[in-house]
Amino acid sequence: MLISHVDYLLCVDCGNDLQVINKVLQDDVIEHGLLSCVDCERKYAIINQVGLMFPSADFKAYLREHERLKIVDLGYECALPDDVMNKPKSKQAKAAENWEFQHKRVL
């Protein structure tokens, strides 16, 4: 992401301006960093020159595991919504929840 492009970006949650609060620059390109909303203070990670800017509600659906791990490795956990930081449930836990749901429905 070019540093000059930040002026054109808006927060996807509230629509206000963003500012760069942490960055690794190479020439005029942000390799890694954080964008922060000046109003709601939502954080967005920039990883490999790409800003990860999804609405909070949809963030988990679009983020792949290796991207989440890269964000954590770079120390940008603050850019992840709380539900994204939780580890995925095991197949056994999902099956148990489904069984419990089916059991309650029958009763």
Side-chain angles (χ1 to χ4, degrees), residues 17 27 45 47 64 92-93 101:
D17 292 332
D27 298 322
I47 305 296
R64 294 198 165 64
Q92 293 84 0
F101 170 76

Side-chain angles (χ1 to χ4, degrees), residues 43-69:
K43 307 288 189 286
Y44 300 95
I46 302 169
I47 305 296
N48 297 331
Q49 301 178 9
V50 177
L52 302 176
M53 300 178 65
F54 304 109
S56 295
D58 300 333
F59 201 90
K60 191 172 186 177
Y62 292 109
L63 192 68
R64 294 198 165 64
E65 183 65 14
H66 71 277
E67 293 166 329
R68 185 187 72 78
L69 292 173

